[in-house]
mmCIF file of all heavy atoms in Angstrom:
data_model
loop_
_atom_site.group_PDB
_atom_site.id
_atom_site.type_symbol
_atom_site.label_atom_id
_atom_site.label_comp_id
_atom_site.label_asym_id
_atom_site.label_seq_id
_atom_site.Cartn_x
_atom_site.Cartn_y
_atom_site.Cartn_z
ATOM 1 N N VAL D 1 134.051 146.720 165.569
ATOM 2 C CA VAL D 1 135.016 145.944 166.359
ATOM 3 C C VAL D 1 136.407 146.394 165.934
ATOM 4 O O VAL D 1 136.583 147.002 164.879
ATOM 5 C CB VAL D 1 134.863 144.422 166.133
ATOM 6 C CG1 VAL D 1 133.533 143.941 166.679
ATOM 7 C CG2 VAL D 1 135.011 144.056 164.659
ATOM 8 N N ARG D 2 137.384 146.104 166.781
ATOM 9 C CA ARG D 2 138.754 146.463 166.434
ATOM 10 C C ARG D 2 139.553 145.190 166.262
ATOM 11 O O ARG D 2 139.752 144.428 167.217
ATOM 12 C CB ARG D 2 139.378 147.339 167.516
ATOM 13 C CG ARG D 2 140.672 148.008 167.048
ATOM 14 C CD ARG D 2 141.355 148.727 168.189
ATOM 15 N NE ARG D 2 141.996 147.780 169.108
ATOM 16 C CZ ARG D 2 142.488 148.117 170.294
ATOM 17 N NH1 ARG D 2 142.362 149.348 170.731
ATOM 18 N NH2 ARG D 2 143.074 147.207 171.056
ATOM 19 N N LEU D 3 139.999 144.963 165.062
ATOM 20 C CA LEU D 3 140.806 143.788 164.742
ATOM 21 C C LEU D 3 142.258 144.222 164.497
ATOM 22 O O LEU D 3 142.514 145.343 164.077
ATOM 23 C CB LEU D 3 140.251 143.093 163.505
ATOM 24 C CG LEU D 3 138.744 142.742 163.569
ATOM 25 C CD1 LEU D 3 138.258 142.232 162.227
ATOM 26 C CD2 LEU D 3 138.478 141.726 164.671
ATOM 27 N N LEU D 4 143.190 143.360 164.782
ATOM 28 C CA LEU D 4 144.624 143.599 164.576
ATOM 29 C C LEU D 4 145.221 144.613 165.542
ATOM 30 O O LEU D 4 146.329 145.094 165.333
ATOM 31 C CB LEU D 4 144.904 144.046 163.128
ATOM 32 C CG LEU D 4 144.460 143.085 162.024
ATOM 33 C CD1 LEU D 4 144.839 143.644 160.660
ATOM 34 C CD2 LEU D 4 145.076 141.708 162.223
ATOM 35 N N GLY D 5 144.507 144.982 166.586
ATOM 36 C CA GLY D 5 145.083 145.853 167.601
ATOM 37 C C GLY D 5 144.965 147.326 167.269
ATOM 38 O O GLY D 5 144.455 147.733 166.228
ATOM 39 N N HIS D 6 145.441 148.153 168.212
ATOM 40 C CA HIS D 6 145.337 149.594 168.034
ATOM 41 C C HIS D 6 146.195 150.069 166.871
ATOM 42 O O HIS D 6 145.759 150.865 166.042
ATOM 43 C CB HIS D 6 145.774 150.309 169.318
ATOM 44 C CG HIS D 6 145.870 151.795 169.153
ATOM 45 N ND1 HIS D 6 144.758 152.591 168.992
ATOM 46 C CD2 HIS D 6 146.953 152.632 169.096
ATOM 47 C CE1 HIS D 6 145.139 153.856 168.852
ATOM 48 N NE2 HIS D 6 146.459 153.907 168.911
ATOM 49 N N ALA D 7 147.439 149.630 166.822
ATOM 50 C CA ALA D 7 148.366 150.008 165.759
ATOM 51 C C ALA D 7 149.331 148.854 165.562
ATOM 52 O O ALA D 7 149.253 147.830 166.246
ATOM 53 C CB ALA D 7 149.089 151.304 166.110
ATOM 54 N N GLY D 8 150.260 149.036 164.633
ATOM 55 C CA GLY D 8 151.128 147.933 164.255
ATOM 56 C C GLY D 8 151.901 147.302 165.391
ATOM 57 O O GLY D 8 152.130 146.093 165.398
ATOM 58 N N SER D 9 152.301 148.090 166.379
ATOM 59 C CA SER D 9 153.119 147.564 167.472
ATOM 60 C C SER D 9 152.302 147.080 168.660
ATOM 61 O O SER D 9 152.860 146.597 169.650
ATOM 62 C CB SER D 9 154.101 148.653 167.945
ATOM 63 O OG SER D 9 153.372 149.786 168.413
ATOM 64 N N ASP D 10 150.993 147.201 168.578
ATOM 65 C CA ASP D 10 150.129 146.862 169.705
ATOM 66 C C ASP D 10 149.876 145.349 169.750
ATOM 67 O O ASP D 10 149.463 144.756 168.749
ATOM 68 C CB ASP D 10 148.806 147.619 169.571
ATOM 69 C CG ASP D 10 147.871 147.362 170.734
ATOM 70 O OD1 ASP D 10 148.365 147.250 171.864
ATOM 71 O OD2 ASP D 10 146.652 147.280 170.508
ATOM 72 N N VAL D 11 150.089 144.748 170.915
ATOM 73 C CA VAL D 11 149.825 143.317 171.106
ATOM 74 C C VAL D 11 148.598 143.189 172.003
ATOM 75 O O VAL D 11 148.680 143.334 173.224
ATOM 76 C CB VAL D 11 151.039 142.593 171.731
ATOM 77 C CG1 VAL D 11 150.723 141.111 171.915
ATOM 78 C CG2 VAL D 11 152.276 142.789 170.872
ATOM 79 N N GLU D 12 147.455 142.934 171.397
ATOM 80 C CA GLU D 12 146.205 142.908 172.153
ATOM 81 C C GLU D 12 146.171 141.820 173.214
ATOM 82 O O GLU D 12 145.509 141.976 174.250
ATOM 83 C CB GLU D 12 145.030 142.699 171.201
ATOM 84 C CG GLU D 12 144.657 143.905 170.371
ATOM 85 C CD GLU D 12 143.386 143.651 169.600
ATOM 86 O OE1 GLU D 12 143.376 142.712 168.782
ATOM 87 O OE2 GLU D 12 142.406 144.372 169.820
ATOM 88 N N ALA D 13 146.856 140.727 172.963
ATOM 89 C CA ALA D 13 146.814 139.607 173.906
ATOM 90 C C ALA D 13 147.338 139.997 175.282
ATOM 91 O O ALA D 13 147.053 139.319 176.278
ATOM 92 C CB ALA D 13 147.627 138.437 173.351
ATOM 93 N N ALA D 14 148.066 141.105 175.361
ATOM 94 C CA ALA D 14 148.614 141.546 176.636
ATOM 95 C C ALA D 14 147.542 142.119 177.550
ATOM 96 O O ALA D 14 147.745 142.201 178.763
ATOM 97 C CB ALA D 14 149.714 142.580 176.401
ATOM 98 N N TYR D 15 146.401 142.517 177.004
ATOM 99 C CA TYR D 15 145.375 143.138 177.845
ATOM 100 C C TYR D 15 143.952 142.720 177.499
ATOM 101 O O TYR D 15 143.004 143.199 178.114
ATOM 102 C CB TYR D 15 145.483 144.675 177.778
ATOM 103 C CG TYR D 15 145.418 145.256 176.375
ATOM 104 C CD1 TYR D 15 144.195 145.517 175.758
ATOM 105 C CD2 TYR D 15 146.580 145.546 175.667
ATOM 106 C CE1 TYR D 15 144.129 146.052 174.476
ATOM 107 C CE2 TYR D 15 146.527 146.081 174.391
ATOM 108 C CZ TYR D 15 145.302 146.333 173.801
ATOM 109 O OH TYR D 15 145.241 146.855 172.529
ATOM 110 N N ARG D 16 143.784 141.829 176.525
ATOM 111 C CA ARG D 16 142.437 141.357 176.181
ATOM 112 C C ARG D 16 142.372 139.838 176.291
ATOM 113 O O ARG D 16 143.328 139.125 175.959
ATOM 114 C CB ARG D 16 142.045 141.784 174.763
ATOM 115 C CG ARG D 16 141.995 143.284 174.542
ATOM 116 C CD ARG D 16 141.383 143.620 173.195
ATOM 117 N NE ARG D 16 139.949 143.349 173.170
ATOM 118 C CZ ARG D 16 139.206 143.321 172.069
ATOM 119 N NH1 ARG D 16 139.784 143.511 170.889
ATOM 120 N NH2 ARG D 16 137.918 143.073 172.134
ATOM 121 N N ARG D 17 141.221 139.351 176.722
ATOM 122 C CA ARG D 17 141.040 137.909 176.867
ATOM 123 C C ARG D 17 140.849 137.255 175.505
ATOM 124 O O ARG D 17 140.272 137.855 174.588
ATOM 125 C CB ARG D 17 139.814 137.624 177.732
ATOM 126 C CG ARG D 17 139.907 138.159 179.159
ATOM 127 C CD ARG D 17 138.625 137.873 179.914
ATOM 128 N NE ARG D 17 137.464 138.440 179.232
ATOM 129 C CZ ARG D 17 136.202 138.252 179.606
ATOM 130 N NH1 ARG D 17 135.941 137.490 180.654
ATOM 131 N NH2 ARG D 17 135.203 138.807 178.929
ATOM 132 N N PRO D 18 141.295 136.008 175.358
ATOM 133 C CA PRO D 18 141.098 135.294 174.092
ATOM 134 C C PRO D 18 139.630 135.243 173.671
ATOM 135 O O PRO D 18 139.322 135.351 172.479
ATOM 136 C CB PRO D 18 141.647 133.897 174.393
ATOM 137 C CG PRO D 18 142.666 134.120 175.455
ATOM 138 C CD PRO D 18 142.124 135.223 176.303
ATOM 139 N N ALA D 19 138.723 135.113 174.631
ATOM 140 C CA ALA D 19 137.298 135.046 174.296
ATOM 141 C C ALA D 19 136.816 136.352 173.670
ATOM 142 O O ALA D 19 135.980 136.350 172.758
ATOM 143 C CB ALA D 19 136.481 134.728 175.546
ATOM 144 N N ASP D 20 137.350 137.487 174.155
ATOM 145 C CA ASP D 20 136.953 138.778 173.596
ATOM 146 C C ASP D 20 137.492 138.944 172.179
ATOM 147 O O ASP D 20 136.804 139.474 171.295
ATOM 148 C CB ASP D 20 137.463 139.909 174.484
ATOM 149 C CG ASP D 20 136.796 139.920 175.848
ATOM 150 O OD1 ASP D 20 135.638 139.471 175.940
ATOM 151 O OD2 ASP D 20 137.448 140.367 176.818
ATOM 152 N N LEU D 21 138.714 138.495 171.965
ATOM 153 C CA LEU D 21 139.287 138.571 170.624
ATOM 154 C C LEU D 21 138.507 137.701 169.649
ATOM 155 O O LEU D 21 138.240 138.101 168.505
ATOM 156 C CB LEU D 21 140.753 138.143 170.653
ATOM 157 C CG LEU D 21 141.707 139.042 171.458
ATOM 158 C CD1 LEU D 21 143.089 138.409 171.535
ATOM 159 C CD2 LEU D 21 141.792 140.424 170.829
ATOM 160 N N ALA D 22 138.118 136.528 170.106
ATOM 161 C CA ALA D 22 137.342 135.627 169.251
ATOM 162 C C ALA D 22 135.967 136.205 168.935
ATOM 163 O O ALA D 22 135.463 136.079 167.812
ATOM 164 C CB ALA D 22 137.211 134.263 169.926
ATOM 165 N N ALA D 23 135.364 136.864 169.915
ATOM 166 C CA ALA D 23 134.045 137.461 169.704
ATOM 167 C C ALA D 23 134.124 138.580 168.667
ATOM 168 O O ALA D 23 133.221 138.732 167.832
ATOM 169 C CB ALA D 23 133.497 137.987 171.025
ATOM 170 N N ASP D 24 135.167 139.363 168.721
ATOM 171 C CA ASP D 24 135.330 140.421 167.724
ATOM 172 C C ASP D 24 135.554 139.835 166.336
ATOM 173 O O ASP D 24 135.006 140.329 165.337
ATOM 174 C CB ASP D 24 136.512 141.318 168.095
ATOM 175 C CG ASP D 24 136.124 142.395 169.092
ATOM 176 O OD1 ASP D 24 134.941 142.448 169.490
ATOM 177 O OD2 ASP D 24 137.006 143.185 169.486
ATOM 178 N N LEU D 25 136.374 138.803 166.266
ATOM 179 C CA LEU D 25 136.634 138.173 164.980
ATOM 180 C C LEU D 25 135.345 137.658 164.355
ATOM 181 O O LEU D 25 135.132 137.776 163.137
ATOM 182 C CB LEU D 25 137.638 137.039 165.152
ATOM 183 C CG LEU D 25 138.112 136.332 163.875
ATOM 184 C CD1 LEU D 25 138.791 137.317 162.944
ATOM 185 C CD2 LEU D 25 139.048 135.184 164.224
ATOM 186 N N ALA D 26 134.464 137.127 165.175
ATOM 187 C CA ALA D 26 133.189 136.597 164.665
ATOM 188 C C ALA D 26 132.303 137.693 164.093
ATOM 189 O O ALA D 26 131.370 137.398 163.333
ATOM 190 C CB ALA D 26 132.457 135.859 165.784
ATOM 191 N N ARG D 27 132.574 138.957 164.441
ATOM 192 C CA ARG D 27 131.778 140.074 163.938
ATOM 193 C C ARG D 27 132.512 140.849 162.839
ATOM 194 O O ARG D 27 132.145 141.986 162.533
ATOM 195 C CB ARG D 27 131.411 141.015 165.087
ATOM 196 C CG ARG D 27 130.524 140.393 166.148
ATOM 197 C CD ARG D 27 130.141 141.414 167.209
ATOM 198 N NE ARG D 27 129.400 142.533 166.624
ATOM 199 C CZ ARG D 27 129.601 143.810 166.918
ATOM 200 N NH1 ARG D 27 130.543 144.154 167.788
ATOM 201 N NH2 ARG D 27 128.892 144.758 166.331
ATOM 202 N N ASP D 28 133.522 140.254 162.255
ATOM 203 C CA ASP D 28 134.282 140.916 161.193
ATOM 204 C C ASP D 28 133.343 141.439 160.102
ATOM 205 O O ASP D 28 132.620 140.669 159.474
ATOM 206 C CB ASP D 28 135.279 139.927 160.592
ATOM 207 C CG ASP D 28 135.963 140.454 159.347
ATOM 208 O OD1 ASP D 28 136.063 141.689 159.205
ATOM 209 O OD2 ASP D 28 136.381 139.631 158.508
ATOM 210 N N PRO D 29 133.327 142.744 159.847
ATOM 211 C CA PRO D 29 132.382 143.294 158.875
ATOM 212 C C PRO D 29 132.648 142.863 157.434
ATOM 213 O O PRO D 29 131.701 142.756 156.638
ATOM 214 C CB PRO D 29 132.546 144.810 159.033
ATOM 215 C CG PRO D 29 133.873 144.993 159.665
ATOM 216 C CD PRO D 29 134.096 143.804 160.528
ATOM 217 N N VAL D 30 133.899 142.624 157.073
ATOM 218 C CA VAL D 30 134.184 142.180 155.709
ATOM 219 C C VAL D 30 133.610 140.786 155.492
ATOM 220 O O VAL D 30 132.979 140.499 154.459
ATOM 221 C CB VAL D 30 135.698 142.206 155.436
ATOM 222 C CG1 VAL D 30 135.989 141.770 154.007
ATOM 223 C CG2 VAL D 30 136.265 143.601 155.687
ATOM 224 N N THR D 31 133.792 139.935 156.470
ATOM 225 C CA THR D 31 133.209 138.593 156.390
ATOM 226 C C THR D 31 131.687 138.671 156.372
ATOM 227 O O THR D 31 131.020 137.932 155.625
ATOM 228 C CB THR D 31 133.684 137.743 157.577
ATOM 229 O OG1 THR D 31 135.116 137.645 157.554
ATOM 230 C CG2 THR D 31 133.087 136.346 157.526
ATOM 231 N N ALA D 32 131.113 139.545 157.174
ATOM 232 C CA ALA D 32 129.654 139.674 157.225
ATOM 233 C C ALA D 32 129.093 140.118 155.879
ATOM 234 O O ALA D 32 128.048 139.617 155.426
ATOM 235 C CB ALA D 32 129.264 140.670 158.312
ATOM 236 N N THR D 33 129.754 141.058 155.217
ATOM 237 C CA THR D 33 129.287 141.489 153.892
ATOM 238 C C THR D 33 129.439 140.361 152.880
ATOM 239 O O THR D 33 128.571 140.175 152.006
ATOM 240 C CB THR D 33 130.072 142.732 153.431
ATOM 241 O OG1 THR D 33 129.880 143.784 154.380
ATOM 242 C CG2 THR D 33 129.582 143.210 152.071
ATOM 243 N N ALA D 34 130.512 139.582 152.993
ATOM 244 C CA ALA D 34 130.688 138.440 152.096
ATOM 245 C C ALA D 34 129.547 137.444 152.274
ATOM 246 O O ALA D 34 128.988 136.928 151.289
ATOM 247 C CB ALA D 34 132.034 137.769 152.364
ATOM 248 N N ARG D 35 129.155 137.172 153.511
ATOM 249 C CA ARG D 35 128.029 136.264 153.756
ATOM 250 C C ARG D 35 126.748 136.809 153.130
ATOM 251 O O ARG D 35 125.960 136.065 152.539
ATOM 252 C CB ARG D 35 127.821 136.078 155.259
ATOM 253 C CG ARG D 35 128.834 135.209 155.952
ATOM 254 C CD ARG D 35 128.274 134.724 157.289
ATOM 255 N NE ARG D 35 129.344 134.349 158.197
ATOM 256 C CZ ARG D 35 129.837 135.128 159.153
ATOM 257 N NH1 ARG D 35 129.349 136.365 159.326
ATOM 258 N NH2 ARG D 35 130.806 134.703 159.925
ATOM 259 N N LEU D 36 126.526 138.118 153.276
ATOM 260 C CA LEU D 36 125.335 138.736 152.693
ATOM 261 C C LEU D 36 125.301 138.527 151.185
ATOM 262 O O LEU D 36 124.256 138.166 150.608
ATOM 263 C CB LEU D 36 125.325 140.235 153.022
ATOM 264 C CG LEU D 36 124.237 141.078 152.348
ATOM 265 C CD1 LEU D 36 122.857 140.697 152.900
ATOM 266 C CD2 LEU D 36 124.505 142.569 152.551
ATOM 267 N N LEU D 37 126.413 138.732 150.544
ATOM 268 C CA LEU D 37 126.477 138.579 149.092
ATOM 269 C C LEU D 37 126.246 137.134 148.657
ATOM 270 O O LEU D 37 125.594 136.870 147.630
ATOM 271 C CB LEU D 37 127.841 139.064 148.590
ATOM 272 C CG LEU D 37 128.087 140.574 148.689
ATOM 273 C CD1 LEU D 37 129.562 140.898 148.499
ATOM 274 C CD2 LEU D 37 127.248 141.310 147.654
ATOM 275 N N ILE D 38 126.751 136.208 149.444
ATOM 276 C CA ILE D 38 126.609 134.788 149.076
ATOM 277 C C ILE D 38 125.197 134.301 149.350
ATOM 278 O O ILE D 38 124.554 133.664 148.491
ATOM 279 C CB ILE D 38 127.643 133.945 149.837
ATOM 280 C CG1 ILE D 38 129.065 134.320 149.389
ATOM 281 C CG2 ILE D 38 127.396 132.454 149.612
ATOM 282 C CD1 ILE D 38 130.166 133.734 150.251
ATOM 283 N N THR D 39 124.662 134.581 150.526
ATOM 284 C CA THR D 39 123.340 134.047 150.891
ATOM 285 C C THR D 39 122.218 134.666 150.076
ATOM 286 O O THR D 39 121.158 134.054 149.904
ATOM 287 C CB THR D 39 123.051 134.285 152.387
ATOM 288 O OG1 THR D 39 123.141 135.683 152.671
ATOM 289 C CG2 THR D 39 124.038 133.511 153.252
ATOM 290 N N THR D 40 122.425 135.869 149.546
ATOM 291 C CA THR D 40 121.386 136.489 148.714
ATOM 292 C C THR D 40 121.552 136.145 147.241
ATOM 293 O O THR D 40 120.788 136.638 146.401
ATOM 294 C CB THR D 40 121.418 138.016 148.874
ATOM 295 O OG1 THR D 40 122.727 138.503 148.590
ATOM 296 C CG2 THR D 40 121.003 138.422 150.280
ATOM 297 N N GLY D 41 122.540 135.346 146.922
ATOM 298 C CA GLY D 41 122.710 134.896 145.553
ATOM 299 C C GLY D 41 123.416 135.881 144.645
ATOM 300 O O GLY D 41 123.419 135.705 143.424
ATOM 301 N N VAL D 42 124.025 136.899 145.203
ATOM 302 C CA VAL D 42 124.736 137.876 144.382
ATOM 303 C C VAL D 42 126.067 137.307 143.887
ATOM 304 O O VAL D 42 126.503 137.585 142.768
ATOM 305 C CB VAL D 42 124.977 139.179 145.172
ATOM 306 C CG1 VAL D 42 125.813 140.165 144.364
ATOM 307 C CG2 VAL D 42 123.658 139.809 145.572
ATOM 308 N N ALA D 43 126.728 136.492 144.699
ATOM 309 C CA ALA D 43 128.033 135.947 144.340
ATOM 310 C C ALA D 43 128.170 134.533 144.872
ATOM 311 O O ALA D 43 127.580 134.178 145.900
ATOM 312 C CB ALA D 43 129.142 136.827 144.897
#
C-alpha cells in the first residue's frame, strides 16, 4: 500500500477517496508486523 502520498508535496485527498485511504491504512505493514509479534507472544 502507499501511505503518506507519492512524495512530500503530494496531497492524496485531491484524487483518492477517504474510504480508499482508510483501507490502505488498515493494511499498514509496520502495524501488521507489530500485531504478529504481540499475538505470538514475542513482545
Side-chain angles (χ1 to χ4, degrees):
V1 293
R2 194 187 74 191
L3 307 172
L4 302 182
H6 172 70
S9 60
D10 182 37
V11 180
E12 286 187 299
Y15 55 85
R16 299 189 71 193
R17 298 178 303 174
D20 294 331
L21 295 173
D24 276 0
L25 185 60
R27 296 183 61 223
D28 171 26
V30 181
T31 300
T33 301
R35 286 199 202 98
L36 173 68
L37 291 166
I38 295 169
T39 57
T40 55
V42 176

